[in-house]
Amino acid sequence: LVQRKQAQQVYFNQIAGRFDRQYGPGRSWQAFGQFLLRILPPLNIADLGSGEGLLAELLARRARKVICIDNSKRIVDFGTKKAKKNGITNVEFRQGNIESPPIRANTIDLALLSQALHHAEHPKQVIAAARKILHPGGQLMILDLLEHDQRTVTEHLGDRWPGFNETTLHTWLRNAGFKQIETARVDREEEPPHFQTVLATGVK
């Protein structure tokens, strides 16, 4: 028992400061995601610029309903078939522009823009439209790239904007009428060009 305790102590001492980058059995983001999902109450969620619905499939396990909006018919058709194949009945894909999403006003608890805002032609309009579909007290969460100068890296991905800085996102949310606004840098890639990610939230 003493040897086992000592070996454990040596291990944790060795990985101190790099624990988040050290492999450990079962320490996956998929597992953490499932763990954190249990905190959420059942919500009506809009995933704006959803793509094929990777995030929606995860959220659907706890959400009341997830409405995925994407402007590509092929992606919408693929996502719909994939959800049906996987037996997910509370995810609905709708083709539409996130600047004017086909969702009734005041019906959504949580609106998400996950790596989608930098594809929009008019980001301020997207934020205003997101507020419209939220019911009073509903929340908008934006996860996107922090402003960068790597245009050659992202041009082929169809990006319209080189990310956003925290001040800009805060201003757009405030001007759209959101309250309790928070912004934070939440990640930085270790490999060059070291893209960073910013999270911005606001409440209607």
Side-chain angles (χ1 to χ4, degrees):
L1 288 174
V2 171
Q3 289 176 338
R4 185 183 305 161
K5 184 177 181 180
Q6 289 174 339
Q8 186 182 61
Q9 189 67 50
V10 168
Y11 170 74
F12 285 110
N13 284 341
Q14 287 176 340
I15 65 171
R18 52 191 177 90
F19 189 74
D20 59 339
R21 299 186 295 274
Q22 185 78 12
Y23 169 75
R27 296 181 69 247
S28 68
W29 282 114
Q30 177 72 13
F32 286 142
Q34 292 295 329
F35 176 75
L36 293 172
L37 274 177
R38 299 305 189 271
I39 300 172
L40 291 177
L43 300 172
N44 290 321
I45 301 174
D47 187 358
L48 306 176
S50 64
E52 297 171 358
L54 180 63
L55 181 60
E57 285 189 23
L58 184 62
L59 292 170
R61 305 186 187 194
R62 289 288 291 178
R64 185 179 297 113
K65 184 173 184 177
V66 184
I67 300 175
C68 297
I69 305 298
D70 200 278
N71 63 3
S72 167
K73 185 178 185 303
R74 291 186 65 180
I75 285 180
V76 168
D77 289 344
F78 180 86
T80 300
K81 292 176 183 177
K82 185 180 177 184
K84 184 177 181 180
K85 178 182 177 181
N86 293 335
I88 302 173
T89 59
N90 59 340
V91 171
E92 178 186 350
F93 281 82
R94 299 178 185 176
Q95 184 180 1
N97 193 319
I98 60 175
E99 294 182 8
S100 181
I103 300 175
R104 286 191 298 114
N106 304 307
T107 58
I108 297 297
D109 299 302
L110 175 63
L112 304 175
L113 285 159
S114 178
Q115 301 296 347
L117 194 61
H118 62 257
H119 291 295
E121 186 173 358
H122 305 108
K124 289 188 286 186
Q125 188 170 325
V126 174
I127 291 172
R131 186 179 185 277
K132 184 177 180 180
I133 65 175
L134 290 169
H135 66 63
Q139 186 176 32
L140 170 65
M141 298 185 70
I142 301 171
L143 187 67
D144 215 296
L145 293 176
L146 189 69
E147 191 171 22
H148 60 84
D149 60 1
Q150 303 296 320
R151 291 181 180 271
T152 56
V153 176
T154 56
E155 278 178 355
H156 70 285
L157 299 176
D159 295 3
R160 292 178 180 267
W161 296 80
F164 309 95
N165 63 54
E166 293 178 65
T167 301
T168 297
L169 289 175
H170 192 284
T171 300
W172 287 349
L173 285 164
R174 184 191 65 217
N175 291 346
F178 282 95
K179 309 298 182 184
Q180 301 176 39
I181 300 167
E182 296 183 15
T183 63
R185 301 183 188 189
V186 293
D187 192 26
R188 181 178 185 272
E189 294 181 358
E190 293 184 4
E191 299 296 327
H194 306 293
F195 285 114
Q196 297 184 72
T197 309
V198 61
L199 175 66
T201 64
V203 177
K204 180 175 179 178

